[in-house]
Amino acid sequence: MPDRKPGLSPQNLKAPLQPGAPRPSASSASSTTSTTSEPVASILLVDDHRPNLIALEAVLDPLKQRLVTAQSGEEALEHLTREEFALILMDVKMRGIDGFETAARVRGLDQARHTPIIFISGLPEDEERLYRGYGAGAVDYVVKPFNPDILRAKVAVFVELHRRAEQIKRQEAALRQLERQASDEVFRRIMDTSMMGLLFSDYEGRVIEANDSFLSLVGYTRDDLKEGRLNWQQLSPPEYEHVHHDAVNELNIHGVTKQFEKEYIRKDGRRVAVLVGSARIESQRRNLTYVLDISERKRAEANVSLLAGAGEILSSSLDFRETLGQLARLVVPLLADWCAVDIQGQDGAIQRVAVQHNDPAKVELVRQIEEQYPVDPASPSGVPHVLRTGQTEWLPDITDELLVAHARDEQHLRIARELGLRSYVVVPLAARGRVLGAMTLAHAASGRRYTKADVQFAEELARRAALSVDNALLFEREVTVRKEVETLAEELKHSEAQFRLLAETMPQLVWTNRPDGHHEYFNQRWYDYTGLTPEDTGGEGWSRIIHPEEHEQAIETWRQSLRTGEPYENQCRLRRADGVYRWFIGRAVASRDGAGRIVRWFGTYTDIDDQKRAEEERQRLVQALERSNKELDQFAYVTSHDLKAPLRGIANLSQWIEEDLADKMTAESRKQLDLLRGRVHRLENLIDGILSYSRAGRIREKPETIDVGKLLREIVELLAPPPETRVEIAPDMPVLVTERAPLQQTFLNLISNALKHAGRADPEVRIGARDAGPFWEFSVSDNGAGIAPEYHDRIWGIFQTLKARDKVEGTGIGLSVVQKIVQSKGARAWVESSVGAGATFRFTWPKLEAREPSSPG
C-alpha cells in the first residue's frame, strides 16, 4: 500500500492513542497526528441508509479514530482512490452496486487491494451468503443486530494492525533520516531507545554492537555479544543463504539494501520472522543493520490466507469428511505440525475422520496409538473432555513429566516421545448449540508454542469448519427425510382405503384437509359426536361446534399452521349433538411430497374432558390443602400459646410456694419443686418442638446469600458453650443462595445436640463441608460417647431419645426436625458413629433452590 504519510523524525515515534484522547473530525486528513498520540487511523463506513451510518459512528466513536462515510459503493471507491484506510465496514445490500461487487472492485485498486473489509448485513445468517462474502475477500461477516462491544473489538484489532504497519513505515523513515545524518550521537540514541533491533557488524559478518531490542529478539545476552558468539552464520537458517548472499552483493554495489524478509534462529532454537535492511558505513568499515520483528504480522497474514483457503475448501463440497481432510492438509504446517479431526456420532462414538502430520512417518505412529490405546470416552482431558464440555483445552508446553503421567505403559510412553509433541490445543467444532466434533492441533519438531492469539484463531477456524459440517449433516438428513416422505406419500397414495378403514376404527374424531385448509374428510365418529351432516361442515362450517370462548383462537391457530406448514395443536371445547360441550385437543400434521410441498393435512380431535376436570379438581385440592396448612399453622400457634399459659402459671406458683415456705421446706420438698419446674420447662420445650416439627419444610422464605462460616459463628455465639468447650469451624465454608431459617435451624439443632450429649469435661465439636456435585455435604462431629449402630435409624424418629429424659435435657424432636427440613430440600441426613468413638452427623444441602419459595402455609 503506498505510504501517504510525511517523513518522521525520532520525535514522531510516540505511544499509541490513549483512552480519552480527542477524536479527529471527519474532515481531517488521514495522517493527522497529535503532538501526544499516534496517527489516527481512517475507517471507511459504507451504507446507503444514513441512520445506519449514524449508528455505526456512535458504536465506533469510543475508538477515537477518524470515521469517513459513504452512501454508495461508487462513493466508497472514490474515497479509496484518494486516500488509504485501515478498515472498510460495508453493508451488503445497497442501491447501485452492492457490497459484494464493491469489494471486488476494491481488490482491483492497487492502493486499496489489501485493505481489510468487514461485511455488515441485516439479512439472516445464510451459509451461501457467508461463503460469498469470504470469497469476495472479506475478513469477517457481521449480521445485524450485532453486539457493539464485539464489533468494536474486531475493529480495534484491524486498527492495531494498521497502526503497527504505519509504525514500521515511520521507523523506517526515521532510520533513513538517521543514516543520512551519520552521527554517532544519533546512532547511540537510536540504539538505546529504538523498539527496533539495531546492530553493527564487520565485513566478515561478526556482530560488533547491538541494542537490547535486537538481543531480546534473538534471545542472546550482552555477554554472548561481548564473547563474540553472535554472527550471521549462527543467526541465519541455511535456506536463507541466497538471501544473505544477495544482500551482501547489494551492499557492495549500492552501499544499502532494500528491505527483505527472512527468519532468524534464536538462541533457544526457535525461529522468528523479521524485516531486515542494511546500510554500509565506509568510514568505519562496518554495516548498520535494522531488524524488525514481524512475527505477528506474518501470523496475521498467514491466518487471513488460511481462513480464505479454508473458506474455499469448506464451501467446495457437502462431503464433510473429504473437506475436513483437505482442511487438515491446509493447516499443516501453517498452523500446526500435527492435526487431527474427530467427529462425534449420534450414539456418542468418537470417529477420527482426518489426521495429518508434516512428517508422513509420524502419521503411522498416530494410527498405532489409536489402535493399541483407544480413546476413553470418559477421559478427563483431551478430545472426550472437549466433546463433553464444549470448552477449548490448551496446553502451551508439553513436558516429559506430563507424558509420563498420562502414559498407560512403557510402549505408550515410547511412542508418545517419538511424536515429540511440544504444545497443543483442542478446539470444539460447535454449531447451533451442538458440539459436533473436535480439532486437535499440535506443534512438535518446529519447536513453536501456541499462544492465546493462536488459540483464538483456531477457535474461529473450528467454528467455520463446524458450520460446514453442520450444513452437510443437515443436507444428509434432508435428503434422507425427503426420501422417506416421498416413500410415505407414495404408500399413502396407494393405501387410501386402508387409511379410511383405520380412521373409522379410531376413538378420535379424524379428519383430513387439502393444502389450502379445506376439509375433505371426517370419519363417522365426527358425525356421530357433532350431529352434523357433510353439507353442514362445508367451508368453515365445521368450526360452528367450537365453544365461543375458544373459537377465535382455534381458527387463528389453524390459519397460522396453514401459513407456515407447522404442526397444528390447540385445545378447545366442542359441542356434542345434545348441546353439551366437552374438552378436546386438536392436532394436525402436514404430509409433503418429494419437493417439500404440502399435499394433505391429517388431523384428530381427542377427548380430554375427563383429564381437564381431573386437573381442575387437583387444583381445587391444592388450594384446599394450602388453606388447611394455614389453618393448621394458626391452630398450632394458638394451641402452643394456650398450653404454655397454664404451664407458666404452674412454674410461677411453685416458685412462690418455695419462697413462702423457705424456712419450713425440707431438702426433699425443694428437690420435688425443682423436679416439677423441670417437667414444666420440658413440656414447654416439647410444645415448641412439636410446633417446629409441624412447620419444618413447609414454610418457605425468600432465598438470600448466606455465608455459612459467618452463620455458624453466630450460632455458636448464640449457644454460648462453656469455656472448656472447643468448637472448630472449617475455614473453607461455602457461600450459598438459600433460605436462612431452615439452614440455621438445622445447624443449631445438630450443634446443640452435640454439646448436650458430650458427657465429658473437654467436649469438642468440629464442623466441616465438602463439595458433593449438586450438593454441599456438611458434617457436625463430636467426641462424645457415640451411638451404637442399631440406634442409627431410631434417633431420627420424633420423641426418640437414647437416655431417660430425666437424665438428659431434651424432647426427642430436634433430630426429627433436622430430617424433615433436609428431606424438604431433596437432600438427606445420616449419622456415622460407634460406641466410644464419638458421632458425626452429616447432611446434604442443594447448591440451588429447587423452586421459588411460597408464602407461609
Side-chain angles (χ1 to χ4, degrees):
M1 183 180 294
D3 188 355
R4 298 176 180 269
K5 300 190 182 296
L8 300 176
S9 66
Q11 287 74 21
N12 294 124
L13 304 178
K14 302 296 183 180
L17 184 65
Q18 298 297 315
R23 176 174 177 248
S25 66
S27 61
S28 61
S30 64
S31 60
T32 300
T33 61
S34 167
T35 59
T36 60
S37 63
E38 285 290 325
V40 175
S42 295
I43 302 172
L44 181 59
L45 311 179
V46 188
D47 197 308
D48 61 348
H49 194 44
R50 182 59 187 166
N52 289 345
L53 291 173
I54 295 173
L56 278 174
E57 288 180 315
V59 169
L60 300 179
D61 183 73
L63 297 179
K64 304 300 182 185
Q65 305 300 316
R66 178 173 176 263
L67 305 178
V68 179
T69 61
Q71 291 189 248
S72 68
E74 294 85 348
E75 184 181 354
L77 292 169
E78 290 178 6
H79 281 295
L80 289 164
T81 58
R82 294 195 301 268
E83 60 180 299
E84 79 178 77
F85 292 86
L87 177 66
I88 302 171
L89 273 74
M90 181 158 52
D91 189 25
V92 172
K93 188 176 181 180
M94 296 189 296
R95 292 185 295 273
I97 62 173
D98 64 7
F100 295 138
E101 177 61 23
T102 303
R105 296 189 186 183
V106 169
R107 294 299 175 240
L109 299 175
D110 290 337
Q111 67 271 34
R113 67 172 64 248
H114 299 296
T115 304
I117 299 174
I118 295 180
F119 279 130
I120 299 179
S121 174
L123 298 174
E125 185 172 348
D126 178 81
E127 297 297 331
E128 181 178 354
R129 193 175 294 106
L130 287 174
Y131 293 142
R132 186 180 177 189
Y134 290 124
V139 296
D140 207 344
Y141 196 109
V142 179
V143 178
K144 302 175 187 174
F146 53 77
N147 184 304
D149 292 334
I150 293 177
L151 182 60
R152 274 195 297 272
K154 290 183 176 183
V155 171
V157 170
F158 289 99
V159 169
E160 178 63 12
L161 288 174
H162 180 77
R163 186 191 69 76
R164 292 189 181 185
E166 292 300 311
Q167 185 181 35
I168 291 173
K169 294 178 183 178
R170 294 196 301 273
Q171 290 182 341
E172 290 173 358
L175 182 59
R176 294 300 182 189
Q177 183 177 355
L178 289 173
E179 290 173 353
R180 288 191 297 271
Q181 293 175 355
S183 167
D184 288 342
E185 180 183 352
V186 175
F187 279 134
R188 174 53 55 195
R189 184 182 300 119
I190 201 69
M191 288 282 286
D192 293 339
T193 62
S194 177
M195 295 173 58
M196 189 164 34
L198 296 173
L199 66 149
F200 288 101
S201 61
D202 59 22
Y203 288 177
E204 284 71 40
R206 290 187 296 271
V207 179
I208 302 170
E209 189 175 357
N211 66 353
D212 291 339
S213 295
F214 177 76
L215 293 175
S216 176
L217 178 67
V218 295
Y220 284 86
T221 66
R222 195 154 293 281
D223 289 338
D224 294 328
L225 176 63
K226 292 178 181 178
E227 295 172 10
R229 287 197 286 267
L230 269 74
N231 58 67
W232 293 123
Q233 286 71 28
Q234 288 175 295
L235 296 172
S236 186
E239 62 267 28
Y240 288 94
E241 178 62 30
H242 68 285
V243 176
H244 179 71
H245 184 267
D246 292 344
V248 171
N249 288 338
E250 195 172 2
L251 269 177
N252 292 333
I253 298 172
H254 303 291
V256 66
T257 69
K258 297 177 182 178
Q259 300 172 9
F260 58 93
E261 296 180 3
K262 63 176 298 183
E263 288 183 325
Y264 280 155
I265 301 175
R266 288 171 46 87
K267 185 177 181 180
D268 59 10
R270 288 187 291 168
R271 294 194 177 197
V272 57
V274 292
L275 181 70
V276 181
S278 296
R280 175 155 291 176
I281 306 176
E282 292 289 354
S283 61
Q284 301 177 14
R285 291 192 57 78
R286 59 180 181 172
N287 299 325
L288 170 64
T289 301
Y290 66 86
V291 181
L292 189 66
D293 184 351
I294 59 172
S295 300
E296 290 300 323
R297 194 196 80 191
K298 297 293 287 184
R299 180 182 289 109
E301 292 174 352
N303 288 350
V304 170
S305 175
L306 183 57
L307 284 178
E312 294 180 5
I313 290 173
L314 296 173
S315 61
S316 63
S317 171
L318 285 172
D319 184 352
F320 70 86
R321 293 170 180 82
E322 173 60 27
T323 57
L324 290 178
Q326 293 182 29
L327 181 64
R329 289 189 288 274
L330 176 67
V331 164
V332 175
L334 295 177
L335 190 60
D337 297 329
W338 178 73
C339 173
V341 184
D342 297 277
I343 295 297
Q344 186 171 30
Q346 293 184 350
D347 58 354
I350 302 173
Q351 179 187 5
R352 177 148 292 175
V353 295
V355 60
Q356 188 71 22
H357 201 292
N358 58 5
D359 181 357
K362 297 292 179 67
V363 175
E364 184 56 36
L365 284 177
V366 174
R367 291 201 177 99
Q368 187 177 348
I369 287 181
E370 291 177 358
E371 294 175 0
Q372 298 184 17
Y373 306 96
V375 175
D376 180 6
S379 174
S381 62
V383 171
H385 179 259
V386 173
L387 292 176
R388 287 196 307 273
T389 64
Q391 300 297 317
T392 296
E393 184 173 296
W394 169 35
L395 197 62
D397 290 285
I398 301 176
T399 63
D400 190 67
E401 290 79 5
L402 188 66
L403 295 179
V404 172
H406 286 77
R408 300 187 188 178
D409 53 37
E410 287 298 326
Q411 184 179 6
H412 191 201
L413 178 60
R414 177 185 59 78
I415 298 175
R417 283 172 171 165
E418 287 183 31
L419 284 173
L421 302 181
R422 293 293 177 265
S423 180
Y424 87 96
V425 59
V426 185
V427 290
L429 301 180
R432 297 180 178 89
R434 294 189 306 128
V435 179
L436 306 174
M439 181 167 62
T440 304
L441 304 172
H443 283 315
S446 65
R448 293 178 289 179
R449 300 292 189 274
Y450 284 109
T451 64
K452 185 176 182 180
D454 294 328
V455 173
Q456 292 172 343
F457 177 76
E459 289 174 336
E460 173 62 19
L461 183 63
R463 186 187 70 82
R464 300 188 183 194
L467 287 174
S468 176
V469 172
D470 191 54
N471 188 47
L473 291 174
L474 287 174
F475 179 78
E476 289 181 0
R477 285 195 290 271
E478 181 182 349
V479 170
T480 301
V481 171
R482 185 181 302 167
K483 290 180 179 179
E484 292 176 352
V485 170
E486 290 175 352
T487 302
L488 179 60
E490 188 67 23
E491 292 175 353
L492 288 175
K493 180 179 179 181
H494 297 290
S495 60
E496 185 71 18
Q498 289 86 341
F499 161 73
R500 298 222 172 187
L501 177 62
L502 177 63
E504 293 299 333
T505 60
M506 291 176 64
Q508 288 94 345
L509 314 182
V510 181
W511 47 274
T512 64
N513 281 27
R514 295 201 302 255
D516 61 1
H518 189 278
H519 286 265
E520 62 179 6
Y521 167 75
F522 290 95
N523 67 350
Q524 186 59 42
R525 195 170 297 275
W526 163 272
Y527 295 113
D528 293 342
Y529 177 85
T530 64
L532 299 176
T533 65
E535 291 74 21
D536 296 330
T537 58
E540 291 190 351
W542 63 273
S543 67
R544 289 181 299 169
I545 68 169
I546 300 176
H547 195 284
E549 293 179 4
E550 291 99 37
H551 186 276
E552 183 177 350
Q553 179 187 358
I555 294 298
E556 179 54 34
T557 303
W558 171 236
R559 288 172 178 167
Q560 175 69 13
S561 293
L562 291 177
R563 286 193 295 270
T564 64
E566 296 176 351
Y568 165 79
E569 181 171 324
N570 184 63
Q571 292 186 21
C572 61
R573 285 169 287 180
L574 302 181
R575 187 181 66 241
R576 203 165 55 191
D578 59 4
V580 174
Y581 283 95
R582 291 181 65 83
W583 280 98
F584 282 79
I585 181 169
R587 294 191 178 96
V589 294
S591 174
R592 302 174 187 269
D593 61 15
R597 295 184 295 267
I598 297 175
V599 296
R600 181 179 290 181
W601 287 88
F602 292 88
T604 61
Y605 275 109
T606 304
D607 191 325
I608 59 170
D609 196 74
D610 293 339
Q611 295 94 307
K612 291 285 284 188
R613 296 184 187 280
E615 176 62 20
E616 292 173 357
E617 178 64 15
R618 189 188 72 82
Q619 291 293 336
R620 186 188 66 77
L621 291 175
V622 168
Q623 293 173 0
L625 180 59
E626 290 178 350
R627 291 194 300 271
S628 176
N629 285 340
K630 290 180 180 179
E631 294 170 358
L632 178 61
D633 285 341
Q634 183 64 25
F635 172 76
Y637 174 78
V638 172
T639 301
S640 66
H641 181 272
D642 292 346
L643 286 175
K644 286 181 179 181
L647 291 177
R648 296 191 191 100
I650 294 173
N652 291 337
L653 285 174
S654 68
Q655 186 67 39
W656 295 340
I657 291 172
E658 184 175 3
E659 292 173 356
D660 291 344
L661 302 177
D663 56 343
K664 299 178 182 179
M665 293 188 68
T666 64
E668 180 61 26
S669 298
R670 288 192 177 88
K671 179 180 178 182
Q672 295 299 328
L673 285 175
D674 287 341
L675 183 60
L676 173 64
R677 285 192 290 270
R679 297 286 173 82
V680 169
H681 179 66
R682 185 185 308 148
L683 189 54
E684 286 183 335
N685 289 341
L686 182 61
I687 293 171
D688 288 338
I690 293 174
L691 186 61
S692 296
Y693 183 79
S694 68
R695 291 181 173 181
R698 288 194 302 108
I699 299 178
R700 307 300 295 268
E701 58 187 28
K702 185 178 179 180
E704 59 181 289
T705 301
I706 305 295
D707 184 335
V708 179
K710 181 179 178 182
L711 177 69
L712 287 169
R713 289 190 291 273
E714 293 173 353
I715 292 173
V716 173
E717 183 178 349
L718 176 66
L719 291 173
E724 63 273 12
T725 301
R726 178 183 176 188
V727 179
E728 180 182 325
I729 301 174
D732 54 351
M733 286 295 167
V735 175
L736 300 177
V737 177
T738 188
E739 299 173 76
R740 172 179 289 272
L743 184 61
Q744 184 179 42
Q745 188 173 10
T746 299
F747 274 121
L748 185 65
N749 286 0
L750 291 177
I751 296 172
S752 61
N753 185 72
L755 295 173
K756 188 187 308 176
H757 296 282
R760 56 191 296 164
D762 58 341
E764 293 183 4
V765 178
R766 298 177 304 280
I767 308 164
R770 75 174 187 88
D771 192 327
F775 295 90
W776 279 101
E777 180 185 303
F778 297 100
S779 63
V780 178
S781 304
D782 61 56
N783 62 343
I787 304 171
E790 58 266 27
Y791 297 114
H792 285 187
D793 292 332
R794 172 182 168 184
I795 60 174
W796 301 102
I798 190 168
F799 304 130
Q800 295 296 319
T801 60
L802 299 183
K803 294 183 180 180
R805 293 189 176 93
D806 290 337
K807 295 183 179 181
V808 64
E809 183 180 351
T811 62
I813 295 178
L815 291 181
S816 61
V817 170
V818 169
Q819 185 76 280
K820 192 172 182 183
I821 290 174
V822 171
Q823 288 178 350
S824 74
K825 295 292 182 180
R828 68 189 187 100
W830 69 98
V831 64
E832 297 172 355
S833 179
S834 59
V835 176
T840 297
F841 285 85
R842 301 185 186 274
F843 70 94
T844 56
W845 200 269
K847 293 180 178 178
L848 295 175
E849 289 290 337
R851 63 177 178 87
E852 289 295 321
S854 61
S855 58

